[in-house]
């Protein structure tokens, strides 16, 4: 019957955009940002490899977009994206070894970043195993990476994050740790002392801005938190 | 009415002008009286304008049917549907694909967010850069797909450029773009990471209490 056939055709036409494969989604994303066709082809090919291995493709596309936005030559973008993809694969191996068979994209991105900054597969595994859920592990790795950048060292950073997770601290509180560490350092504490305070769950002893409650901000102190969104 | 309710079936048929059997005398008198009353009532009504019928029909012809009601009737009224058997499995397949796509999303379950968040909660974060000689300063990062000219900083006293942004909880990478061409990191960020392109991305981890930088 004509009306039924037309209805089915309409349904299939409506489904067509959603039925894009991951690679087609990447292609559309890159083309929308104006990347040249050759670069798009290279990145889409990498995305296809990634999808075949279960590695998320959107971080790969975003890395290419980042390079294009920074006006990096296409050849260097392709090389950087390939390197990024390799790190994602290594991160996937590390995370899967910790028992997460199908890790979410943000966890892999965080793990790749951490491993790129000297964290080992064991470090990654410790955070993944301590986390109540895979998404929380991604945040934990981001925090550990930020703490390491503030001089705490990968072992200590992972110890602090996993300790907080084992104590049952909410992920949101763990996300405050880099700011708390920075505030403590601004008050003159050494990285070792900061680590001790964080291990004791010591962030809560601070004022909300990293200052003792009631005290005035130091001259030139910058980057404080803004008001919470209503 | 009460009178009519007591009439026999034959009397009702008689009143309706239908074939009927023999009526008893009393009932015939009663029904004749009713018919006379009806006839008298009809004669007492004022005569209708001869053009009324035409006017009503013209109005009905120009009145468009309500579309929703028509569509609903089309769906609800029983009707004979004829279709080729091949459409049945195709329709079922389309329904399965629709369900699958609906749960999977356009890029599939593996599509991640580059800026992970733990909740829909957002925090205002202030960004500052000391750049006394800059003509303009912009902020670009993972939170705006690295669009270089989307988030301008405002020039303040002493050459300090600043802006405040609502960001979701989680990690964010960014750089400042000075005069549309120089990408420079934020020295006050929580961490600096290699961006893979020979530059350095700044990293902040936004928690519920906000961001404290040096």
């Amino acid at each position: 019957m004509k009306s039924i056939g037309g209805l089915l055709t309409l349904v299939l036409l409506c489904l067509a955009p959603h039925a894009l494969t991951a690679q087609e989604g990447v292609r559309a994303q890159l083309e929308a940002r104006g990347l040249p066709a050759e670069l798009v082809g290279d990145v889409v090919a990498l995305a296809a490899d990634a999808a075949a291995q279960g590695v998320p493709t959107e971080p790969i596309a975003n890395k290419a977009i980042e390079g294009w936005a920074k006006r990096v030559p296409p050849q260097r973008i392709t090389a950087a994206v390939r390197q990024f993809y390799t790190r994602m694969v290594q991160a996937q191996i590390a995370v899967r070894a910790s028992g997460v068979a199908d890790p979410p994209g943000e966890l892999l991105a965080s793990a790749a970043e951490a491993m790129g900054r000297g964290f080992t597969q064991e470090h990654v595994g410790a955070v993944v195993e301590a986390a109540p859920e895979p998404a929380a592990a991604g945040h934990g790795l981001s925090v550990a990476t930020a703490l390491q950048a503030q001089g705490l060292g990968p072992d200590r950073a992972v110890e602090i994050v996993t300790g907080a997770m084992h104590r049952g601290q909410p992920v949101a509180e763990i996300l405050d740790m880099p700011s708390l560490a920075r505030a403590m350092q601004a008050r003159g504490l050494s990285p070792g002392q900061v680590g001790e305070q964080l291990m004791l769950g010591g962030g809560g002893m601070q004022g909300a801005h990293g200052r003792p409650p009631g005290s005035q901000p130091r001259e030139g102190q910058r980057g404080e938190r803004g008001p919470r969104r209503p | 009415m009460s009178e009519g309710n007591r009439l026999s079936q034959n009397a009702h048929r008689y009143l309706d002008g239908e074939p009927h059997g023999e009526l008893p005398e009393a009932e015939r008198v009663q029904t004749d009286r009713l018919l006379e009353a009806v006839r008298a009532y009809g004669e007492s009504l004022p005569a209708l304008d001869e053009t009324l019928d035409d006017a009503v029909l013209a109005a009905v012809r120009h009145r468009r049917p309500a579309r929703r009601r028509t569509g609903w009737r089309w769906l609800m009224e029983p009707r004979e549907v004829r279709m080729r058997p091949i459409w049945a499995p195709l329709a079922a397949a389309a329904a399965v694909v629709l369900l699958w796509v609906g749960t999977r999303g356009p890029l599939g379950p593996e599509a991640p967010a580059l800026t992970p968040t733990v909740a829909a909660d957002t925090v205002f974060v202030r960004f500052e850069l000391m750049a006394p000689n800059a003509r303009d300063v912009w902020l670009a990062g993972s939170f705006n797909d690295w669009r270089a000219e989307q988030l301008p900083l405002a020039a303040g006293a002493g050459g300090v450029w600043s802006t405040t942004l609502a960001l979701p909880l989680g990690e964010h990478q960014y750089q400042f773009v000075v005069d549309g061409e120089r990408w420079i990191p934020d020295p006050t960020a929580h961490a600096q990471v290699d961006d893979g392109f020979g530059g350095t991305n700044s990293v902040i981890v936004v928690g519920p209490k906000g961001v404290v930088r040096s």
Side-chain angles (χ1 to χ4, degrees), chain B residues 183-203:
Chain B
W183 290 68
I184 59 175
D186 179 0
T188 71
H190 289 151
Q192 314 291 339
V193 297
D194 180 5
D195 68 357
F197 305 111
T200 301
N201 284 343
S202 298
V203 180

Side-chain angles (χ1 to χ4, degrees), chain A residues 30 35-44 64 68 72-75 77-78 81:
Chain A
L30 300 180
L35 275 67
E38 189 177 351
L39 178 58
V40 170
D42 291 344
V43 177
V44 167
W68 184 247
V72 176
Q75 295 87 347
I77 293 177
T78 302
V81 170

Side-chain angles (χ1 to χ4, degrees), chain A residues 1 3-5 8-9 11-12 15 17-22 25-26 29 33 51 54-59 62-67 69-72 76-77 80-81 83-84 87 104-106 109-110 113 117 139 142-143 145-146 149-150 171-173 175-176 178-180 182-183 203-204 206 208-210 221-230, chain B residues 74 80-84 87 90-91 94 97-98 100-101 104-107 109-118 121-130 144-149 160-161 164 166 169-171 173 175 180-181 183 186-201 203 205-214:
Chain A
M1 182 173 176
S3 59
I4 297 283
L8 277 174
T9 305
V11 168
L12 291 173
L15 285 176
H18 296 282
L20 289 174
T21 62
V26 168
Q29 197 178 351
R33 288 299 296 271
V55 173
T57 57
E58 192 170 335
N62 285 336
K63 183 51 84 175
I65 287 171
E66 179 187 340
K70 293 177 178 177
R71 299 178 186 173
V72 176
R76 283 180 56 200
I77 293 177
V81 170
Q83 188 181 30
F84 180 73
R87 280 167 47 199
E106 64 254 32
S110 300
E113 197 64 64
R117 291 184 57 86
H139 292 300
S142 295
V143 169
T145 306
Q150 294 181 45
V171 176
E173 283 186 16
L175 284 171
D176 276 327
S179 284
L180 294 172
R182 181 52 56 87
Q206 316 264 355
H209 296 189
Q221 187 167 0
R222 303 168 60 207
E224 296 159 20
R225 61 167 269 192
R228 295 294 300 277
R229 173 166 252 184
Chain B
W74 184 88
E80 183 182 359
V81 176
R82 298 176 62 200
M83 61 181 286
R84 294 187 178 91
W87 287 114
L90 284 178
V97 170
L98 182 63
W100 177 73
V101 170
R104 184 178 163 84
L107 288 180
E110 73 277 20
L114 254 191
T115 54
T117 60
V118 293
D121 200 4
T122 57
V123 174
F124 283 115
V125 178
R126 184 173 178 80
F127 294 87
E128 288 183 346
L129 179 72
M130 175 74 80
N144 75 335
D145 291 333
W146 299 96
R147 294 178 194 278
E149 296 187 348
V160 176
W161 296 73
T164 301
L169 304 186
E171 181 194 294
Q173 297 193 12
Q175 280 189 289
E181 54 187 22
W183 290 68
D186 179 0
T188 71
H190 289 151
Q192 314 291 339
V193 297
D194 180 5
D195 68 357
F197 305 111
T200 301
N201 284 343
V203 180
V205 180
V206 178
K209 291 181 179 174
V211 176
V212 178
R213 289 172 285 189
S214 57

Side-chain angles (χ1 to χ4, degrees), chain B residues 6-209:
Chain B
R6 290 194 302 271
L7 295 175
S8 67
Q9 287 294 323
N10 275 336
H12 281 289
R13 291 194 189 98
Y14 175 69
L15 287 171
D16 293 337
E18 295 171 359
H20 57 86
E22 187 72 20
L23 294 178
E25 183 59 25
E27 201 169 41
R28 175 172 289 279
V29 171
Q30 186 183 359
T31 52
D32 285 343
R33 193 169 60 241
L34 285 171
L35 285 173
E36 184 56 34
V38 169
R39 190 162 37 247
Y41 175 73
E43 289 174 357
S44 70
L45 294 174
L48 296 177
D49 189 337
E50 290 180 3
T51 63
L52 179 63
D53 288 350
D54 292 339
V56 170
L57 288 173
V60 170
R61 272 197 295 272
H62 285 89
R63 195 169 168 185
R64 300 179 63 177
R67 291 191 175 201
R68 285 183 59 186
R69 189 168 173 78
T70 303
W72 180 246
R73 276 186 183 162
W74 184 88
L75 288 171
M76 294 305 293
E77 284 177 359
R79 64 183 67 244
E80 183 182 359
V81 176
R82 298 176 62 200
M83 61 181 286
R84 294 187 178 91
I86 186 64
W87 287 114
L90 284 178
V96 169
V97 170
L98 182 63
L99 282 172
W100 177 73
V101 170
T103 56
R104 184 178 163 84
L107 288 180
E110 73 277 20
L114 254 191
T115 54
T117 60
V118 293
D121 200 4
T122 57
V123 174
F124 283 115
V125 178
R126 184 173 178 80
F127 294 87
E128 288 183 346
L129 179 72
M130 175 74 80
N133 299 320
R135 291 191 309 273
D136 52 56
V137 181
W138 304 79
L139 183 63
S142 51
F143 38 75
N144 75 335
D145 291 333
W146 299 96
R147 294 178 194 278
E149 296 187 348
Q150 189 182 57
L151 301 171
L153 276 72
V160 176
W161 296 73
S162 65
T163 188
T164 301
L165 212 60
L167 292 178
L169 304 186
E171 181 194 294
H172 304 278
Q173 297 193 12
Y174 63 99
Q175 280 189 289
F176 295 113
V177 187
V178 177
D179 297 338
E181 54 187 22
R182 283 191 298 132
W183 290 68
I184 59 175
D186 179 0
T188 71
H190 289 151
Q192 314 291 339
V193 297
D194 180 5
D195 68 357
F197 305 111
T200 301
N201 284 343
S202 298
V203 180
I204 52 168
V205 180
V206 178
K209 291 181 179 174

